[in-house]
Amino acid sequence: MSEEALVVGKVEELMAALDQVKRYRALTRLLVDFLVIILVSVVVMFFWELAVNLYKIGTGYYCFYGPPMVYTCTASLATGSHLVQTLAGVSLLAPTAALLGGVYWVDRKLKSVEVGEWKESLREGFPGAVKLLQEMKWDSILDDIRASKIGYTVYFLVKVIGYWVFAFIVLFFPYVLGISFLHVELNLYILAFLSLGLVLVLSRNDLQKKYNQVLALDSLMFELRWFSDGFKSAKFET
Amino acid sequence: MRRSWIIFLLVLVISVQLVVLSSFHDVEVDGFVNGNSVIGVAKWNYVQGSIHVTVTPMGPVELVFSDGSSLNISSQYSFTIQLPRTGDVIGNGAISGPLALSQEEPLNLTLAQNVGSVSNYVNSIRQSEGISQIPIDLTVVAIYGEAEVVASGFGIGL
């Protein structure tokens, strides 16, 4: 393989990596939208809770929802507090739906980020590759990589925490059933620990992939910094 | 920039909601009573709420309400006591006794069974409540007879 073809190949690799950075940069911006979605869902949940509480005050309090009441408030349950309890429990659907919807929305938006515009230039071969390198704004690219790395890590952490909360809510129902029917009490800290364990096991491949990608971003930034310094001082004839 | 303000606004709304949600308080008592018994409800005057009471008699039972009216029941009977907000207060207080109140517990409910003289018991509650700097609303329901009682309440103190 000629040296020119080798350079074209390397530039192609670099551009593909920078496309990935472009996606991560978009992800950093989408994080703000994701945060807004989650916050709106929390506002909806609290408004719902307030409405249920005011309803309880207005109509007469029947029974507070929550695990201890499942077995201590039987007389009130018999008089028809199911509706109030169900209404109160429904509020949790808002952040759950927002979490799942938010992750889906972010993933969809990421897929729609336009990449690969450089392929046209690279078809010209070595001159196209050098032209691409010359047009690059190195400082801005390095800044983008830095921001992408942070955004990517934060998004992944938020995702894991969100799934953790979701798993906790899902596991909470068997927990309540366990208390009510089997009279087995499981500490909530243990439940939280179990939920985290479950999420980490289920997302272990994703976790490994994300960790590798953060390391790859680190290494890319290091190499690009070195390359940009060399490239700026070199002279090319195209 | 606009999104930063949206986030700030949402955080502000959530903070206000949390403050309001933390102002809700629930109380509950249940048990079997015999002889002359009392359901007592005390609240600071700035609290609004309601108490739902279910009485399941084991024999003839008479209920005597705060306004002096009475009712003889022989089967399960439920009623709701509405507790309106009766005033504003600046400052906090706390009292002890059978119906202790504080800023954290602005609404309290008790079920005292076999108290002997209902009027003496109610007077003793009134005496302990009387030392409070903050006005207290006291509601009592006397139960004469043997019954199972479940009472639960919910209020907001803002």
Side-chain angles (χ1 to χ4, degrees), chain B residues 87-111:
Chain B
D88 299 304
V89 164
I90 296 174
N92 298 308
I95 53 157
S96 55
L99 279 166
L101 290 178
S102 63
Q103 194 193 352
E104 290 75 32
E105 195 182 19
L107 170 70
N108 202 351
L109 177 64
T110 188
L111 175 65

Side-chain angles (χ1 to χ4, degrees), chain B residues 68-83:
Chain B
S69 62
S70 65
L71 184 71
N72 290 303
I73 57 169
S74 55
S75 60
Q76 191 178 72
Y77 180 72
S78 295
F79 57 95
T80 300
I81 306 168
Q82 292 292 345
L83 306 166

Side-chain angles (χ1 to χ4, degrees), chain A residues 29 32-33 35-36 39-40 42-43 46-47 49-50 53-54 56-58 60-62 64 69 72-73 75-76, chain B residues 3 7 10-11 13-14 17-18 20-21 24 26-28 30 48-50 52 80 82 150 152-156:
Chain A
R29 283 189 289 270
V32 180
D33 295 349
L35 180 66
V36 170
L39 287 178
V40 167
V42 172
V43 169
F46 285 157
F47 267 128
E49 289 284 332
L50 281 171
N53 283 357
L54 291 173
K56 284 198 273 190
I57 287 178
Y61 173 68
Y62 291 103
F64 191 70
M69 303 307 170
T72 59
C73 218
S76 299
Chain B
R3 281 193 294 186
I7 289 173
L10 287 169
V11 170
V13 171
I14 290 171
Q17 286 178 316
L18 281 174
V20 177
L21 278 171
F24 286 95
D26 61 290
V27 285
E28 188 193 340
D30 59 277
Q48 182 190 346
S50 63
H52 187 79
T80 300
Q82 292 292 345
V150 177
S152 51
F154 196 60
I156 181 170

Side-chain angles (χ1 to χ4, degrees), chain A residues 164 168 171 175 185-198:
Chain A
W164 182 16
F168 184 84
L171 288 179
Y175 165 77
E185 192 155 354
L186 184 64
N187 191 309
L188 281 179
Y189 292 110
I190 296 175
L191 191 66
F193 188 68
L194 273 179
S195 317
L196 180 63
L198 183 69

